[in-house]
């Protein structure tokens, strides 16, 4: 069957408190039993340092004998270490007082048995605590004592809990089951882990949007250009520009975070625009009879100034964003720089790689001869409408050609 967890590598050090969380049945208790040596892992190994003394609190409370009274169940093997008075004081910290301390554990409620089990673990003074759902059935008094005890505990703690507030206060590290046998470990408390998880989910969404945008761009380009070679030329420019931008991000110490991924997604449209601008000019010259190499050389040279002006105009919009002051400026710095670099690289790619590819692979489909006129009939009405619309645009668009100021505007 599917493993409960795989590729789990961690080192628990003195003073660290690891909180393990995940849905029921994910394998949290199995992981604890594997760490304790009760179960053998399918692969890998578990090693303890020298002098390690482990105390385990399990959900079944098997560490306390139900036939013993609370005082005897809590009493450490070194009987002389605790007097009866000290044991009573110790049990009282967990809410086990008076005659209840002399009652058999098996006759107690679930919450009282949990308190006895925790009291026994504390009395043993271990240097590693392994706790499986320790707050179950605890009242407020015992819970507060446990939180204070663990916060001041100088050794290592590994605990499983569904109590997020408890983990938020106690844990210094999080080991989370996130599905598909994946276990994510994080340094910080539960609130920090939740924030990191949300950030990772946002990044995955932006990655999906980026890939989807590239695929949709390729489809739309193919539909409108109607040529596989033209689409290939445009699509090559996208990963080339984006990979170059990522190299620049790495050199600048940028991370692949939500803002930089958003910038890359936004840049896809600009990259495609630059490539199509150059490609269309080359395509037009080939339709006029020039060879691929000549059309690529002259077409790229002819469109250089227009492409440069369009690209620099876009870059001029985002450069000020990167250098805004205050918290907003720090938030958008990587975004603005990433977009600017991607836009500038798209210009370089469109004027270098795109013409080279056009000179080698671009093919032109010459226009078909005009179709014979359609006779009137059922199409007479639609044809009349189309002709009237065409006449209207001819009249409207002809005005700027006559009145020069309007043409300028």
């Amino acid at each position: 069957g599917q493993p409960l967890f795989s590729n789990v590598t961690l080192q628990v050090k003195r003073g660290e408190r690891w909180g393990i969380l995940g849905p029921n049945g994910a394998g949290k208790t199995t992981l604890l039993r594997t760490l304790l040596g009760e179960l053998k892992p399918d692969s890998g190994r578990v090693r303890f340092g020298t002098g390690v003394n482990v105390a385990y609190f399990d959900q079944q409370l098997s560490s306390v004998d139900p036939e013993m009274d609370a005082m005897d169940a809590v009493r450490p093997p070194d009987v002389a270490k605790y007097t009866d008075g000290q044991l009573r004081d110790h049990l009282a910290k967990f809410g086990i007082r008076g005659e209840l301390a002399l009652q058999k554990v098996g006759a107690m409620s679930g919450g009282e048995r949990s308190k006895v089990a925790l009291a026994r673990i504390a009395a043993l003074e271990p240097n590693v605590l392994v706790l499986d759902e320790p707050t179950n059935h605890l009242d407020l008094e015992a819970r507060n004592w446990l939180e204070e005890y663990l916060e001041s505990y100088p050794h290592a703690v590994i605990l499983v809990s569904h109590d997020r507030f408890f983990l938020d206060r106690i844990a210094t590290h999080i080991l989370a089951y996130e599905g598909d046998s994946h276990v994510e470990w994080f340094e910080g408390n539960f609130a920090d882990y939740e924030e990191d998880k949300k950030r990772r989910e946002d990044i995955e969404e932006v990655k999906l949007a980026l890939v989807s945008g590239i695929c949709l761009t390729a489809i739309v380009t193919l539909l409108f250009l109607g040529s596989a070679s033209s689409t290939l030329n445009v699509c090559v420019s996208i990963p080339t520009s984006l990979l170059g931008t990522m190299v620049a991000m790495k050199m600048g110490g940028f991370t692949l975070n939500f803002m930089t991924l958003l910038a890359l997604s936004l840049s896809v449209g600009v990259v495609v625009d630059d490539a199509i601008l150059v490609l269309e000019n080359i395509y037009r010259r080939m339709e006029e009879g020039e060879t691929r190499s000549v059309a690529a050389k002259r077409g790229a040279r002819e469109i250089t100034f227009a492409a440069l002006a369009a690209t620099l105009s876009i870059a001029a919009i985002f450069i000020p964003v990167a250098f805004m002051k205050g918290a907003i400026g720090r938030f958008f710095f990587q975004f603005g720089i990433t977009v600017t670099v991607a836009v500038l690289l798209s210009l370089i790619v469109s004027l270098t790689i795109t013409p080279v590819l056009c000179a080698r692979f671009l093919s032109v489909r010459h226009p078909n001869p005009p179709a014979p006129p359609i006779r009137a009939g059922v199409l007479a009405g639609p044809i009349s409408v189309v002709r009237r619309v065409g006449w209207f645009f001819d009249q409207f668009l002809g005005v700027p050609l006559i009145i020069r100021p309007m043409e300028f505007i």
Side-chain angles (χ1 to χ4, degrees), residues 146-166:
L146 178 62
E147 289 180 356
E148 293 175 0
Y149 173 75
L150 293 178
E151 283 184 320
S152 61
Y153 186 71
H155 305 292
V157 179
I158 304 173
L159 63 95
V160 170
S161 180
H162 285 91
D163 191 331
R164 300 187 174 191
F165 296 101
F166 180 71

mmCIF file of all heavy atoms in Angstrom, residues 146-166:
data_model
loop_
_atom_site.group_PDB
_atom_site.id
_atom_site.type_symbol
_atom_site.label_atom_id
_atom_site.label_comp_id
_atom_site.label_asym_id
_atom_site.label_seq_id
_atom_site.Cartn_x
_atom_site.Cartn_y
_atom_site.Cartn_z
ATOM 1 N N LEU A 146 0.747 21.925 32.499
ATOM 2 C CA LEU A 146 1.507 21.229 31.452
ATOM 3 C C LEU A 146 2.190 22.228 30.523
ATOM 4 O O LEU A 146 3.361 22.038 30.161
ATOM 5 C CB LEU A 146 0.575 20.314 30.660
ATOM 6 C CG LEU A 146 1.209 19.554 29.499
ATOM 7 C CD1 LEU A 146 2.297 18.614 30.008
ATOM 8 C CD2 LEU A 146 0.156 18.773 28.720
ATOM 9 N N GLU A 147 1.502 23.283 30.138
ATOM 10 C CA GLU A 147 2.101 24.286 29.262
ATOM 11 C C GLU A 147 3.303 24.948 29.931
ATOM 12 O O GLU A 147 4.357 25.113 29.310
ATOM 13 C CB GLU A 147 1.065 25.338 28.874
ATOM 14 C CG GLU A 147 -0.009 24.835 27.921
ATOM 15 C CD GLU A 147 -1.004 25.912 27.564
ATOM 16 O OE1 GLU A 147 -0.896 27.032 28.125
ATOM 17 O OE2 GLU A 147 -1.896 25.659 26.732
ATOM 18 N N GLU A 148 3.159 25.318 31.191
ATOM 19 C CA GLU A 148 4.262 25.944 31.908
ATOM 20 C C GLU A 148 5.429 24.973 32.075
ATOM 21 O O GLU A 148 6.596 25.359 31.967
ATOM 22 C CB GLU A 148 3.783 26.443 33.271
ATOM 23 C CG GLU A 148 2.784 27.598 33.175
ATOM 24 C CD GLU A 148 2.226 27.984 34.533
ATOM 25 O OE1 GLU A 148 2.625 27.342 35.541
ATOM 26 O OE2 GLU A 148 1.396 28.908 34.595
ATOM 27 N N TYR A 149 5.103 23.701 32.341
ATOM 28 C CA TYR A 149 6.150 22.689 32.514
ATOM 29 C C TYR A 149 6.941 22.505 31.219
ATOM 30 O O TYR A 149 8.178 22.468 31.220
ATOM 31 C CB TYR A 149 5.516 21.375 32.953
ATOM 32 C CG TYR A 149 6.481 20.210 33.013
ATOM 33 C CD1 TYR A 149 7.405 20.096 34.049
ATOM 34 C CD2 TYR A 149 6.485 19.228 32.017
ATOM 35 C CE1 TYR A 149 8.299 19.025 34.101
ATOM 36 C CE2 TYR A 149 7.357 18.161 32.062
ATOM 37 C CZ TYR A 149 8.275 18.066 33.106
ATOM 38 O OH TYR A 149 9.156 17.017 33.149
ATOM 39 N N LEU A 150 6.232 22.404 30.094
ATOM 40 C CA LEU A 150 6.914 22.186 28.823
ATOM 41 C C LEU A 150 7.695 23.416 28.384
ATOM 42 O O LEU A 150 8.781 23.294 27.783
ATOM 43 C CB LEU A 150 5.898 21.801 27.745
ATOM 44 C CG LEU A 150 5.212 20.440 27.914
ATOM 45 C CD1 LEU A 150 4.198 20.205 26.802
ATOM 46 C CD2 LEU A 150 6.237 19.310 27.925
ATOM 47 N N GLU A 151 7.180 24.603 28.656
ATOM 48 C CA GLU A 151 7.894 25.820 28.279
ATOM 49 C C GLU A 151 9.219 25.956 29.030
ATOM 50 O O GLU A 151 10.187 26.496 28.493
ATOM 51 C CB GLU A 151 7.026 27.047 28.548
ATOM 52 C CG GLU A 151 5.934 27.265 27.513
ATOM 53 C CD GLU A 151 5.159 28.542 27.766
ATOM 54 O OE1 GLU A 151 4.887 28.841 28.949
ATOM 55 O OE2 GLU A 151 4.832 29.248 26.795
ATOM 56 N N SER A 152 9.262 25.472 30.258
ATOM 57 C CA SER A 152 10.487 25.553 31.057
ATOM 58 C C SER A 152 11.331 24.283 30.964
ATOM 59 O O SER A 152 12.423 24.230 31.531
ATOM 60 C CB SER A 152 10.138 25.820 32.526
ATOM 61 O OG SER A 152 9.336 24.760 33.059
ATOM 62 N N TYR A 153 10.837 23.273 30.248
ATOM 63 C CA TYR A 153 11.549 21.996 30.144
ATOM 64 C C TYR A 153 12.810 22.200 29.304
ATOM 65 O O TYR A 153 12.735 22.662 28.159
ATOM 66 C CB TYR A 153 10.633 20.956 29.497
ATOM 67 C CG TYR A 153 11.189 19.558 29.451
ATOM 68 C CD1 TYR A 153 11.320 18.803 30.613
ATOM 69 C CD2 TYR A 153 11.570 18.982 28.240
ATOM 70 C CE1 TYR A 153 11.811 17.516 30.570
ATOM 71 C CE2 TYR A 153 12.060 17.690 28.191
ATOM 72 C CZ TYR A 153 12.185 16.967 29.358
ATOM 73 O OH TYR A 153 12.672 15.682 29.311
ATOM 74 N N PRO A 154 13.991 21.862 29.822
ATOM 75 C CA PRO A 154 15.235 22.192 29.111
ATOM 76 C C PRO A 154 15.643 21.178 28.053
ATOM 77 O O PRO A 154 16.603 21.410 27.319
ATOM 78 C CB PRO A 154 16.267 22.231 30.241
ATOM 79 C CG PRO A 154 15.746 21.236 31.244
ATOM 80 C CD PRO A 154 14.246 21.308 31.167
ATOM 81 N N HIS A 155 14.928 20.056 27.972
ATOM 82 C CA HIS A 155 15.336 18.986 27.065
ATOM 83 C C HIS A 155 14.409 18.934 25.832
ATOM 84 O O HIS A 155 13.619 19.840 25.593
ATOM 85 C CB HIS A 155 15.338 17.648 27.803
ATOM 86 C CG HIS A 155 16.176 17.651 29.040
ATOM 87 N ND1 HIS A 155 17.551 17.748 29.021
ATOM 88 C CD2 HIS A 155 15.827 17.592 30.359
ATOM 89 C CE1 HIS A 155 18.028 17.730 30.254
ATOM 90 N NE2 HIS A 155 16.995 17.646 31.095
ATOM 91 N N ALA A 156 14.524 17.846 25.071
ATOM 92 C CA ALA A 156 13.782 17.720 23.812
ATOM 93 C C ALA A 156 12.367 17.207 24.065
ATOM 94 O O ALA A 156 12.131 16.363 24.944
ATOM 95 C CB ALA A 156 14.519 16.778 22.871
ATOM 96 N N VAL A 157 11.424 17.726 23.263
ATOM 97 C CA VAL A 157 10.022 17.307 23.342
ATOM 98 C C VAL A 157 9.525 17.011 21.922
ATOM 99 O O VAL A 157 9.751 17.793 21.003
ATOM 100 C CB VAL A 157 9.127 18.397 23.973
ATOM 101 C CG1 VAL A 157 7.667 17.935 24.013
ATOM 102 C CG2 VAL A 157 9.614 18.749 25.366
ATOM 103 N N ILE A 158 8.852 15.870 21.777
ATOM 104 C CA ILE A 158 8.167 15.522 20.525
ATOM 105 C C ILE A 158 6.724 15.232 20.895
ATOM 106 O O ILE A 158 6.463 14.329 21.706
ATOM 107 C CB ILE A 158 8.797 14.294 19.846
ATOM 108 C CG1 ILE A 158 10.294 14.511 19.594
ATOM 109 C CG2 ILE A 158 8.082 13.977 18.533
ATOM 110 C CD1 ILE A 158 11.018 13.283 19.075
ATOM 111 N N LEU A 159 5.796 15.988 20.345
ATOM 112 C CA LEU A 159 4.404 15.813 20.742
ATOM 113 C C LEU A 159 3.468 15.865 19.549
ATOM 114 O O LEU A 159 3.705 16.584 18.587
ATOM 115 C CB LEU A 159 3.999 16.857 21.787
ATOM 116 C CG LEU A 159 4.027 18.331 21.400
ATOM 117 C CD1 LEU A 159 2.647 18.793 20.944
ATOM 118 C CD2 LEU A 159 4.498 19.182 22.574
ATOM 119 N N VAL A 160 2.409 15.064 19.632
ATOM 120 C CA VAL A 160 1.324 15.071 18.659
ATOM 121 C C VAL A 160 0.131 15.752 19.303
ATOM 122 O O VAL A 160 -0.225 15.452 20.445
ATOM 123 C CB VAL A 160 0.945 13.639 18.226
ATOM 124 C CG1 VAL A 160 -0.338 13.644 17.400
ATOM 125 C CG2 VAL A 160 2.076 13.000 17.447
ATOM 126 N N SER A 161 -0.489 16.671 18.569
ATOM 127 C CA SER A 161 -1.650 17.352 19.122
ATOM 128 C C SER A 161 -2.499 17.935 18.002
ATOM 129 O O SER A 161 -1.977 18.372 16.972
ATOM 130 C CB SER A 161 -1.213 18.466 20.082
ATOM 131 O OG SER A 161 -2.332 19.139 20.620
ATOM 132 N N HIS A 162 -3.820 17.919 18.214
ATOM 133 C CA HIS A 162 -4.741 18.624 17.333
ATOM 134 C C HIS A 162 -5.062 20.023 17.871
ATOM 135 O O HIS A 162 -5.782 20.781 17.222
ATOM 136 C CB HIS A 162 -6.050 17.839 17.189
ATOM 137 C CG HIS A 162 -5.935 16.636 16.309
ATOM 138 N ND1 HIS A 162 -5.619 15.380 16.796
ATOM 139 C CD2 HIS A 162 -6.069 16.488 14.966
ATOM 140 C CE1 HIS A 162 -5.590 14.516 15.800
ATOM 141 N NE2 HIS A 162 -5.858 15.165 14.669
ATOM 142 N N ASP A 163 -4.549 20.327 19.067
ATOM 143 C CA ASP A 163 -4.829 21.600 19.708
ATOM 144 C C ASP A 163 -3.888 22.662 19.141
ATOM 145 O O ASP A 163 -2.710 22.732 19.499
ATOM 146 C CB ASP A 163 -4.641 21.466 21.223
ATOM 147 C CG ASP A 163 -5.164 22.671 21.977
ATOM 148 O OD1 ASP A 163 -5.160 23.779 21.404
ATOM 149 O OD2 ASP A 163 -5.567 22.509 23.137
ATOM 150 N N ARG A 164 -4.409 23.487 18.259
ATOM 151 C CA ARG A 164 -3.570 24.462 17.579
ATOM 152 C C ARG A 164 -3.071 25.555 18.518
ATOM 153 O O ARG A 164 -1.949 26.053 18.367
ATOM 154 C CB ARG A 164 -4.333 25.071 16.399
ATOM 155 C CG ARG A 164 -4.745 24.038 15.376
ATOM 156 C CD ARG A 164 -5.351 24.651 14.138
ATOM 157 N NE ARG A 164 -5.610 23.650 13.110
ATOM 158 C CZ ARG A 164 -5.944 23.922 11.860
ATOM 159 N NH1 ARG A 164 -6.082 25.185 11.486
ATOM 160 N NH2 ARG A 164 -6.149 22.956 10.991
ATOM 161 N N PHE A 165 -3.891 25.951 19.482
ATOM 162 C CA PHE A 165 -3.458 26.970 20.430
ATOM 163 C C PHE A 165 -2.333 26.441 21.314
ATOM 164 O O PHE A 165 -1.392 27.160 21.642
ATOM 165 C CB PHE A 165 -4.639 27.425 21.288
ATOM 166 C CG PHE A 165 -5.718 28.110 20.503
ATOM 167 C CD1 PHE A 165 -6.878 27.445 20.139
ATOM 168 C CD2 PHE A 165 -5.571 29.436 20.096
ATOM 169 C CE1 PHE A 165 -7.869 28.068 19.404
ATOM 170 C CE2 PHE A 165 -6.552 30.075 19.358
ATOM 171 C CZ PHE A 165 -7.703 29.388 19.015
ATOM 172 N N PHE A 166 -2.424 25.172 21.672
ATOM 173 C CA PHE A 166 -1.377 24.530 22.463
ATOM 174 C C PHE A 166 -0.074 24.481 21.665
ATOM 175 O O PHE A 166 1.004 24.818 22.177
ATOM 176 C CB PHE A 166 -1.844 23.127 22.847
ATOM 177 C CG PHE A 166 -0.855 22.341 23.661
ATOM 178 C CD1 PHE A 166 -0.590 22.675 24.974
ATOM 179 C CD2 PHE A 166 -0.187 21.262 23.104
ATOM 180 C CE1 PHE A 166 0.325 21.945 25.735
ATOM 181 C CE2 PHE A 166 0.714 20.524 23.845
ATOM 182 C CZ PHE A 166 0.973 20.875 25.159
#
